[in-house]
Amino acid sequence: MNLVPRPVPHLPRSFRWGVATAAYQIEGAAAEDGRTPSIWDTYSHTPGNTAGGDTGDTACDHYHRMPEDVALIKGLGVDTYRFSLSWSRLQPHGRGPANPKGVAFYDRLVDELLASGVTPWVTLYHWDLPQELEDAGGWPARDTAYRFADYAALAHDALGDRVAHWTTLNEPWCSAMLGYAYGDQAPGRRDFPAAVRAVHHLLLGHGLAAERVREAAHTRDHPLELGITLNLGTATPEHDTPEDRDACRRADGLGRRVYLDPLVKGVYPQDVVADLAAHHGAELPVRDGDLETISAPLDVLGVNFYRGTLFSGRTEDGALQDERGRPVTRAVERDLPRTAMDWEITPTALTDLLLSLQKEYGVPTVITENGAAFEDTVGADGEVHDADRTAYLADHIDAVAEARAQGADVRGYFAWSLLDNFEWSYGYAKRFGIVRVDYDTQLRTLKDSAKWYRDTIRLTREA
Ligand code: FCB
């Protein structure tokens, strides 16, 4: 474990260093200043959906502590802060006019960041659809894509004079699959064909929003770097057999290619389309012109990486089909160190991923999230000696540098997360922060990993 801060090789001076958060996970003030409920308010307030019944009502109280949090960010010496806008705070009914108090909050945040020398990087949508839009059909309904484009234009209108970095969506796979197919996240529906419609409408929403934001930036002569963030991993066959390779093809198809192929190449992968019809009775509701909209050029691809996965095409009993007669796509557990999420720690998969993205898609990348939850303890000295998290960050930053050395055009790394926060269905039980939050007092304490990150950034810049 390389826990002593040192300069990371192969990273250019322009390499972007950041920390990331998301609105519902940190802001709190859920019912203040005109904000209406999002699907996450409804979902977290429904008994049984989150660990301990936790909700984002207060979270890290960032809405009221924003200047203190920006000071923390500045103190870390990062150049970029990635945060998301709460749609139901900015445009409470999911349509119609902006909420002046919502705009005022993000105005203050952006101004505070700029005054602190930190570049704001805005995510328009990190999973928190206004509930009213879910009631009107949510992402399985095509209209939501148009509502999203209007919201994007409204947000850019408010902040685009000072914010150049815009991400449309965070992890549409999670919105579509966890939200509409598996019910593990808001809105908690379990309807696979609806989830597949959501996939297409999220991508369409991205494309329509990108068009509007690009046009507005161009007309007003504002600088713009626009992208989308996907959660990406690697799929490796357990054995070099046709069935294990086919399991990887399916996992990669629904996890990665069904997003990246239309975004970058303007086509949906035919094997995925065929599998969806054959095995799920599901169809992507594509209309004429949609794929041109979706495939408008991206300036940057945001990559959220947590782990790589080994796949088998057989059940544990060796069968090739599951009980419903579908081919088996089974994640195989390995004897590897794990995080508190029970996720395997696989840094070399990040190098492999970045190199394969470079080869297959060729879009510049930024790691918009990477990090780990561990069972932190506060020592007798009041400090959090999170060597496990520090090692995780160190190994993954090395993996990024290695990918760069081998030719991947990766331009930045943002640690997930600045603060311990509301980890969705896991509530506050899982801590991803490099800064500890005491939820009783809202006291923030830099963990050892935060100090290591700060010193590593400084040493790398100076090298
Ligand atoms: C990602 C989410 C982020 C956080 C991390 C742990 O999927 O984008 O909000 O929950 O996982």
Side-chain angles (χ1 to χ4, degrees):
M1 286 206 263
N2 34 17
L3 302 184
V4 179
R6 83 287 176 226
V8 184
H10 313 302
L11 300 182
R13 218 153 255 287
S14 60
F15 193 78
R16 219 173 248 294
W17 294 99
V19 284
T21 64
Y24 191 68
Q25 295 182 275
I26 65 162
E27 284 181 3
E32 253 173 83
D33 291 344
R35 182 184 178 278
T36 60
S38 74
I39 54 175
W40 265 99
D41 296 270
T42 309
Y43 185 82
S44 65
H45 278 269
T46 306
N49 280 343
T50 65
D54 290 348
T55 73
D57 286 1
T58 307
C60 306
D61 197 31
H62 170 73
Y63 191 73
H64 299 116
R65 292 162 198 269
M66 180 274 287
E68 179 195 342
D69 290 339
V70 172
L72 268 177
I73 296 169
K74 182 181 181 189
L76 291 172
V78 296
D79 44 75
T80 304
Y81 174 48
R82 171 182 183 246
F83 60 95
S84 80
L85 308 177
S86 158
W87 186 345
S88 47
R89 199 183 287 293
L90 263 182
Q91 191 191 34
H93 303 287
R95 62 183 86 229
N99 168 23
K101 290 190 173 163
V103 173
F105 171 68
Y106 294 112
D107 261 338
R108 291 198 301 277
L109 169 57
V110 165
D111 289 344
E112 191 82 18
L113 287 166
L114 292 173
S116 306
V118 178
T119 301
W121 182 299
V122 163
T123 303
L124 281 161
Y125 185 74
H126 201 123
W127 304 356
D128 44 358
L129 189 70
Q131 182 62 41
E132 286 183 42
L133 292 185
E134 175 59 23
D135 296 341
W139 287 109
R142 187 174 172 95
D143 187 57
T144 303
Y146 295 92
R147 299 285 67 75
F148 179 65
D150 283 353
Y151 154 68
L154 174 150
H156 187 269
D157 196 39
L159 305 171
D161 57 335
R162 286 152 293 154
V163 177
H165 302 274
W166 292 81
T167 296
T168 53
L169 303 174
N170 178 71
E171 303 190 352
W173 179 89
C174 294
S175 296
M177 292 296 143
L178 298 180
Y180 292 96
Y182 307 130
D184 296 331
Q185 294 198 344
R189 281 160 66 175
R190 288 173 207 269
D191 177 345
F192 204 95
V196 172
R197 292 197 296 279
V199 168
H200 182 64
H201 296 143
L202 282 152
L203 289 171
L204 180 63
H206 154 82
L208 293 167
E211 231 166 60
R212 300 280 294 277
V213 167
R214 219 180 265 292
E215 190 188 302
H218 179 75
T219 313
R220 294 171 199 162
D221 209 16
H222 294 322
L224 177 68
E225 190 181 70
L226 184 131
I228 184 170
T229 279
L230 303 178
N231 50 310
L232 299 171
T234 51
T236 310
E238 182 184 20
H239 304 293
D240 192 17
T241 58
E243 65 270 20
D244 287 6
R245 285 197 300 273
D246 210 39
C248 289
R249 176 189 63 74
R250 281 191 298 279
D252 191 53
L254 267 185
R256 167 159 84 154
R257 288 182 293 120
V258 80
Y259 302 95
L260 276 170
D261 283 15
L263 285 166
V264 181
K265 302 176 181 171
V267 284
Y268 277 115
Q270 279 316 306
D271 62 313
V272 176
V273 171
D275 283 353
L276 285 172
H279 306 313
H280 301 280
E283 198 184 337
L284 293 152
V286 183
R287 296 196 191 162
D288 278 356
D290 286 1
L291 285 158
E292 286 85 82
T293 304
I294 293 170
S295 60
L298 290 173
D299 301 319
V300 63
L301 171 67
V303 175
N304 289 357
F305 177 86
Y306 290 94
R307 56 178 160 163
T309 308
L310 198 66
F311 284 98
S312 166
R314 290 180 183 271
T315 63
E316 284 187 30
D317 301 333
L320 288 167
Q321 293 189 338
D322 65 15
E323 65 287 351
R324 297 160 88 170
R326 294 174 185 161
V328 171
T329 311
R330 179 173 63 92
V332 180
E333 301 209 358
R334 286 171 284 190
D335 188 17
L336 288 173
R338 287 157 190 267
T339 71
M341 300 293 281
D342 211 24
W343 296 347
E344 294 172 353
I345 301 178
T346 59
T348 56
L350 178 52
T351 308
D352 297 344
L353 169 68
L354 290 168
L355 290 169
S356 79
L357 290 173
Q358 182 68 43
K359 188 161 146 248
E360 288 159 40
Y361 297 101
V363 181
T365 53
V366 165
I367 307 299
T368 39
E369 285 181 28
N370 175 244
F374 286 104
E375 304 288 344
D376 296 329
T377 50
V378 183
D381 55 1
E383 307 269 320
V384 181
H385 302 298
D386 56 340
D388 34 21
R389 182 175 294 101
T390 304
Y392 182 100
L393 296 179
D395 291 344
H396 285 79
I397 290 169
D398 280 350
V400 170
E402 179 57 28
R404 240 202 107 90
Q406 292 187 42
D409 186 4
V410 45
R411 300 183 177 179
Y413 176 94
F414 304 164
W416 182 270
S417 181
L418 169 68
L419 302 171
D420 290 336
N421 59 46
F422 176 75
E423 180 46 37
W424 309 112
S425 305
Y426 297 87
Y428 297 98
K430 302 294 178 207
R431 292 177 176 270
F432 274 89
I434 58 174
V435 175
R436 181 176 178 87
V437 176
D438 176 329
Y439 294 111
D440 293 329
T441 61
Q442 291 293 348
L443 182 75
R444 277 79 161 131
T445 310
L446 297 196
K447 302 179 190 177
D448 281 1
S449 56
K451 298 174 192 167
W452 175 90
Y453 191 48
R454 175 194 66 199
D455 295 344
T456 297
I457 294 170
R458 181 175 42 79
L459 292 168
T460 304
R461 286 212 192 101
E462 285 168 7

